Amino acid sequence: MAKTILAVDDSSSLRQMVAFSLKAAGYQVVEAVDGQDGLEKAKQQTVDLVLTDQNMPKMDGLQLIKHLRELPAYAKTPILMLTTESSDEMKAKGRAAGANGWLVKPFDPQRLIEVVKKVIG
C-alpha cells in the first residue's frame, strides 16, 4: 500500500512539481492550496506525511502544524516544512510548532525523495 503525503502550498506550480516527484517515487499525493485547506483535507483523510510551505494566505505553515499537532491522529505524524524561509529563527519556530524537518526552496526533487524515504520509508 502506497504511503500518502499531503502537499500544502499556495503555488500551484510548486505543488505540481512536488506531486509529480513524489508520485514518480511511488507515493500517493493529496494537494492543498493553503493551510486552511490542508487542515480540512487532513481531517478528511489520514496521511503518512505532511509537507507544508510556510508563507500562505488564510493559515501559514506554522499555524497549520500547531493545529495538526492538536489532533490525536497527527500527534506523531512527520511534518516537513518546504519553504524559502531558511533562517535559524524560523527553523526554531518550526521545531517549536512540531515540524520534524526543513527543506529549502527551490528544492531538488531527488533530495526531497531521499528525505521523505528517510522519514516514512
Coordinates of all heavy atoms in Angstrom, one line a residue, residues 6 38-46 50 64-77 79:
L6 N 0.5 14.6 2.2 CA -0.3 15.9 2.0 C 0.7 17.0 1.6 O 1.5 17.3 2.4 CB -1.1 16.2 3.3 CG -1.9 17.5 3.3 CD1 -2.9 17.5 2.2 CD2 -2.5 17.7 4.6
G38 N -5.4 22.6 3.8 CA -4.6 21.4 4.3 C -5.2 20.8 5.5 O -5.3 19.6 5.6
L39 N -5.6 21.6 6.5 CA -6.2 21.1 7.7 C -7.5 20.4 7.5 O -7.7 19.3 8.0 CB -6.4 22.3 8.7 CG -6.9 22.0 10.1 CD1 -5.9 21.1 10.8 CD2 -7.2 23.2 10.9
E40 N -8.3 20.9 6.6 CA -9.6 20.3 6.2 C -9.3 18.9 5.6 O -9.9 17.9 5.9 CB -10.4 21.1 5.3 CG -11.1 22.3 6.1 CD -11.6 23.4 5.2 OE1 -11.9 23.2 4.0 OE2 -11.8 24.5 5.8
K41 N -8.3 18.9 4.7 CA -8.0 17.6 4.0 C -7.4 16.6 4.9 O -7.7 15.4 4.8 CB -7.1 17.9 2.8 CG -8.0 18.6 1.7 CD -7.3 18.7 0.3 CE -8.3 19.1 -0.7 NZ -7.7 20.0 -1.7
A42 N -6.6 17.1 5.9 CA -6.0 16.2 6.8 C -7.1 15.5 7.8 O -6.9 14.4 8.2 CB -5.0 16.9 7.7
K43 N -8.1 16.3 8.0 CA -9.2 15.8 8.9 C -10.1 14.8 8.1 O -10.6 13.8 8.7 CB -10.1 16.9 9.4 CG -9.4 17.8 10.4 CD -10.3 18.9 10.8 CE -9.7 19.8 12.0 NZ -10.5 21.0 12.3
Q44 N -10.2 15.0 6.8 CA -11.0 14.1 5.9 C -10.3 12.7 5.7 O -11.0 11.7 5.6 CB -11.3 14.7 4.6 CG -12.2 15.9 4.6 CD -12.1 16.7 3.3 OE1 -11.5 16.4 2.4 NE2 -12.8 17.8 3.3
Q45 N -9.0 12.7 5.7 CA -8.2 11.5 5.3 C -6.9 11.6 6.0 O -6.2 12.6 5.9 CB -8.1 11.5 3.8 CG -6.9 10.7 3.3 CD -6.7 10.8 1.8 OE1 -7.3 11.6 1.2 NE2 -5.8 10.0 1.3
T46 N -6.6 10.5 6.8 CA -5.3 10.5 7.5 C -4.2 10.2 6.5 O -4.3 9.3 5.7 CB -5.3 9.4 8.6 OG1 -6.4 9.6 9.4 CG2 -4.1 9.5 9.4
V50 N 3.1 15.1 6.1 CA 2.6 16.4 5.7 C 3.8 17.2 5.3 O 4.8 17.3 6.0 CB 1.8 17.2 6.8 CG1 1.4 18.5 6.3 CG2 0.6 16.3 7.3
L64 N -0.6 25.8 10.7 CA -1.1 24.5 10.2 C -0.5 23.4 11.1 O -1.2 22.5 11.6 CB -0.8 24.3 8.8 CG -1.1 22.9 8.2 CD1 -2.6 22.5 8.3 CD2 -0.6 22.7 6.8
I65 N 0.8 23.5 11.3 CA 1.5 22.5 12.1 C 0.9 22.4 13.5 O 0.6 21.3 14.1 CB 3.0 22.7 12.2 CG1 3.6 22.5 10.8 CG2 3.7 21.8 13.2 CD1 5.0 23.0 10.7
K66 N 0.7 23.6 14.1 CA 0.1 23.6 15.5 C -1.3 23.0 15.5 O -1.6 22.2 16.5 CB 0.1 25.1 16.0 CG 1.4 25.6 16.4 CD 1.4 27.1 16.8 CE 2.8 27.7 17.0 NZ 2.8 29.1 17.0
H67 N -2.1 23.3 14.6 CA -3.4 22.7 14.5 C -3.4 21.2 14.3 O -4.1 20.5 14.9 CB -4.3 23.4 13.4 CG -4.8 24.8 13.7 ND1 -5.7 25.0 14.7 CD2 -4.5 26.0 13.2 CE1 -5.9 26.3 14.8 NE2 -5.2 26.9 13.9
L68 N -2.5 20.8 13.4 CA -2.4 19.3 13.2 C -1.9 18.6 14.5 O -2.4 17.5 14.8 CB -1.4 19.0 12.1 CG -1.9 19.4 10.6 CD1 -0.8 19.2 9.6 CD2 -3.1 18.5 10.2
R69 N -1.0 19.2 15.2 CA -0.4 18.5 16.4 C -1.5 18.4 17.5 O -1.4 17.6 18.4 CB 0.8 19.3 16.9 CG 2.0 19.1 16.0 CD 2.5 17.7 15.9 NE 3.7 17.6 15.2 CZ 4.0 16.6 14.4 NH1 3.1 15.6 14.1 NH2 5.2 16.5 13.7
E70 N -2.5 19.3 17.4 CA -3.6 19.2 18.4 C -4.6 18.0 18.1 O -5.3 17.6 19.0 CB -4.4 20.5 18.4 CG -3.6 21.7 19.0 CD -4.3 23.0 18.8 OE1 -5.4 23.1 18.2 OE2 -3.7 24.0 19.1
L71 N -4.5 17.5 16.9 CA -5.4 16.3 16.5 C -4.7 15.0 16.9 O -3.5 14.8 16.5 CB -5.6 16.3 15.0 CG -6.3 17.6 14.4 CD1 -6.3 17.5 12.9 CD2 -7.7 17.8 15.0
P72 N -5.4 14.1 17.6 CA -4.8 12.9 18.0 C -4.2 12.1 16.9 O -3.1 11.5 17.0 CB -5.9 12.1 18.7 CG -6.9 13.2 19.1 CD -6.7 14.3 18.2
A73 N -4.8 12.1 15.7 CA -4.3 11.4 14.5 C -3.0 11.9 14.0 O -2.2 11.2 13.3 CB -5.4 11.4 13.4
Y74 N -2.7 13.2 14.4 CA -1.5 13.8 13.8 C -0.4 14.2 14.9 O 0.5 14.9 14.7 CB -1.8 15.1 13.0 CG -2.4 14.7 11.7 CD1 -3.8 14.6 11.6 CD2 -1.6 14.3 10.6 CE1 -4.4 14.2 10.4 CE2 -2.2 13.9 9.4 CZ -3.6 13.9 9.3 OH -4.2 13.5 8.1
A75 N -0.6 13.6 16.1 CA 0.3 13.9 17.2 C 1.7 13.5 16.9 O 2.7 14.1 17.3 CB -0.2 13.2 18.5
K76 N 1.9 12.4 16.1 CA 3.2 11.8 15.8 C 3.5 11.8 14.3 O 4.5 11.3 13.9 CB 3.3 10.4 16.4 CG 3.3 10.5 17.9 CD 3.8 9.2 18.5 CE 3.9 9.1 20.0 NZ 3.6 10.2 20.8
T77 N 2.6 12.2 13.5 CA 2.8 12.2 12.0 C 4.0 13.1 11.6 O 4.0 14.3 12.1 CB 1.5 12.7 11.3 OG1 0.4 11.9 11.7 CG2 1.7 12.6 9.8
I79 N 6.0 15.9 9.9 CA 5.7 17.1 9.2 C 7.0 17.8 8.7 O 7.9 18.0 9.6 CB 4.9 18.1 10.0 CG1 3.6 17.4 10.5 CG2 4.6 19.3 9.2 CD1 2.7 18.3 11.5

